[in-house]
Amino acid sequence: VAGMNGMCEASADRITNLPVEVIQRIQLLLPTRRAAQMATLSTKWRRHWRSIPQLKFFAANSADQDEMMMMNKFMFTVYKVLLLHDGPITNFKLAFGGLSPCLHNEIDQIIIYLSDRGLREFTLSFPSPDSVIYNFNFYGEFQRICFKGTPRLKEVTIFDYKHNENVETTPDMVAFFASLPTLQRFSADFKFLEYLAAGYNNVPTKLPAPLHKLKFLQICNFDFGSLRNVRAIVCLIMSSPNLFELKIQMDTELNQPATNDAVPSLVTLLEAEHCGGSGLLQRLKVLEVAYVRGTQVELELVRFILATAPLLERVHILPCRRKLKLRKAFKFIKTMMQYKRASKEAEVIYAETYSALRR
């Protein structure tokens, strides 16, 4: 028995005396609750647990307990861990599982608290796919979206945007992007641009403060029928002198492209700015146009960018297979290949799927 006790003590010593980097690596791979339980192994582990930079919390639903009681217990645990934590918190995840929280004030307070702790990534997950936020990526219906106190935020993605039409707000496109001075990647649904442009009778051609760090711009569910939305895209392109990659995904739900002869096309507006000496797309290297239908406006967009982007390397074209038949696709490709190119390195790649494109 004495020999076995000695072996156990020796094993415990080996675990306790692991290098700090190994201890923290083990704790980072575990859910926060498990990491806290392992902290009981020794005072050394407990000290390191209180300084791990990544915290993850998951609130599971229980059928035999009151939801409000479960939520209060869960949030009490979160607060307790945050109060005991004495180091920087770079990554924070809060997932509510099957619970349906109504914790606007609590979440606001957590964000404010974390903003002074070196936060780099914040993930907030609700149970319904219609109301989820992942990494400042928004899904659901919102009264208002704005950013304050985020001078280091580099990536913003807003898809499937649904604005609450019962709430009167005055969106401000200029103020929205002014609050994101270090933005490097921006992806948005066309509906969100409609929301941003709604506050203007005439969308500005350029933002007062250029987006010098923006290198990636993606617009999804695009159609050509709204002058305000088209002007909003022109404004973003005009305000992004260092744009490296531009992706435009057409709206696959439309039976016909929402064109309007009375509305100047995206290409018409871009050409006007280019002829005015604006020097558009001087650093663009990658263009992707997805779910194309073989329309003239799509061809004009590719033609314009091929003719004006001197550093262009790749043009990716993905068809909307339900809308673009083989004969029309062949004609589209043949026409596109005849366009003049400002860059000798520009290569046009036509692929049926994203997986084929990435090969």
Side-chain angles (χ1 to χ4, degrees):
V1 174
M4 292 184 65
N5 287 338
M7 291 176 63
C8 291
E9 289 175 2
S11 298
D13 287 341
R14 283 198 295 269
I15 294 174
T16 299
N17 295 317
L18 285 172
V20 174
E21 296 79 8
V22 176
I23 294 175
Q24 289 189 335
R25 181 61 180 167
I26 293 172
Q27 291 176 328
L28 286 175
L29 293 173
L30 296 171
T32 300
R33 181 181 177 185
R34 295 298 181 191
Q37 290 173 342
M38 289 193 70
T40 60
L41 289 173
S42 72
T43 55
K44 184 177 180 181
W45 276 71
R46 183 159 53 251
R47 182 172 68 253
H48 292 306
W49 173 79
R50 292 176 61 179
S51 63
I52 58 174
Q54 299 179 17
L55 298 179
K56 303 174 184 179
F57 299 92
F58 178 78
N61 195 9
S62 177
D64 59 349
Q65 294 192 40
D66 179 73
E67 185 174 282
M68 185 59 68
M69 184 182 298
M70 285 286 294
M71 185 58 65
N72 290 337
K73 185 177 179 180
F74 172 69
M75 293 307 298
F76 178 78
T77 301
V78 174
Y79 292 147
K80 185 175 181 180
V81 170
L82 289 177
L83 288 173
L84 290 174
H85 198 280
D86 57 9
I89 302 174
T90 59
N91 297 65
F92 187 86
K93 180 175 183 178
L94 194 61
F96 290 98
L99 298 176
S100 301
C102 183
L103 302 167
H104 303 97
N105 293 332
E106 290 84 350
I107 292 172
D108 284 348
Q109 292 302 315
I110 289 174
I111 292 175
I112 292 172
Y113 175 81
L114 293 173
S115 65
D116 294 326
R117 303 294 294 274
L119 185 66
R120 295 179 184 173
E121 182 174 325
F122 179 80
T123 302
L124 174 62
S125 175
F126 294 153
S128 169
D130 289 330
S131 56
V132 170
I133 306 178
Y134 288 108
N135 304 338
F136 296 102
N137 298 341
F138 298 83
Y139 296 83
E141 187 174 272
F142 296 88
Q143 296 181 2
R144 186 168 174 245
I145 293 180
C146 66
F147 294 93
K148 292 183 178 180
T150 55
R152 297 181 180 178
L153 187 59
K154 295 180 179 180
E155 181 174 350
V156 173
T157 303
I158 304 177
F159 285 157
D160 296 333
Y161 178 77
K162 298 176 182 177
H163 178 60
N164 189 338
E165 296 180 355
N166 295 324
V167 178
E168 293 185 5
T169 60
T170 304
D172 189 335
M173 184 174 180
V174 172
F176 179 84
F177 287 104
S179 64
L180 299 167
T182 60
L183 185 65
Q184 294 182 10
R185 298 175 64 88
F186 181 66
S187 302
D189 189 280
F190 199 58
K191 290 290 184 182
F192 182 69
L193 291 183
E194 185 175 56
Y195 162 73
L196 284 182
Y200 298 88
N201 292 324
N202 195 5
V203 178
T205 303
K206 283 186 180 181
L207 297 172
L211 303 171
H212 287 293
K213 295 185 179 295
L214 188 65
K215 296 182 179 180
F216 175 92
L217 175 62
Q218 180 178 28
I219 307 298
C220 297
N221 300 320
F222 179 70
D223 70 64
F224 295 90
S226 168
L227 178 59
R228 281 183 179 176
N229 295 15
V230 169
R231 287 192 181 279
I233 294 178
V234 173
C235 178
L236 284 178
I237 294 175
M238 288 289 298
S239 304
S240 308
N242 297 312
L243 194 62
F244 179 93
E245 186 171 357
L246 174 63
K247 291 188 176 184
I248 296 179
Q249 294 182 357
M250 302 302 171
D251 191 341
T252 59
E253 299 302 319
L254 295 175
N255 291 324
Q256 295 293 333
T259 55
N260 184 339
D261 292 338
V263 174
S265 72
L266 174 61
V267 177
T268 301
L269 295 172
L270 288 173
E271 283 183 330
E273 297 301 330
H274 180 68
C275 292
S278 298
L280 291 173
L281 308 174
Q282 293 301 295
R283 298 185 182 274
L284 189 71
K285 291 191 175 183
V286 180
L287 169 68
E288 179 178 290
V289 185
Y291 311 131
V292 300
R293 304 153 182 263
T295 63
Q296 186 62 35
V297 286
E298 291 165 339
L299 280 170
E300 287 296 305
L301 176 62
V302 175
R303 178 197 61 75
F304 171 77
I305 294 180
L306 280 172
T308 56
L311 300 181
L312 192 65
E313 295 178 358
R314 299 188 307 278
V315 177
H316 297 160
I317 304 295
L318 286 90
C320 179
R321 289 186 290 177
R322 294 186 291 113
K323 307 291 184 180
L324 186 59
K325 303 303 179 184
L326 185 60
R327 180 178 296 181
K328 193 174 183 180
F330 177 76
K331 182 179 179 181
F332 184 88
I333 298 170
K334 183 179 179 181
T335 303
M336 190 169 50
M337 292 300 183
Q338 296 173 354
Y339 291 145
K340 294 181 180 180
R341 307 178 188 188
S343 170
K344 295 180 180 179
E345 306 297 325
E347 178 185 9
V348 178
I349 304 170
Y350 183 93
E352 292 288 331
T353 63
Y354 272 105
S355 58
L357 186 65
R358 302 295 181 246
R359 288 174 186 170

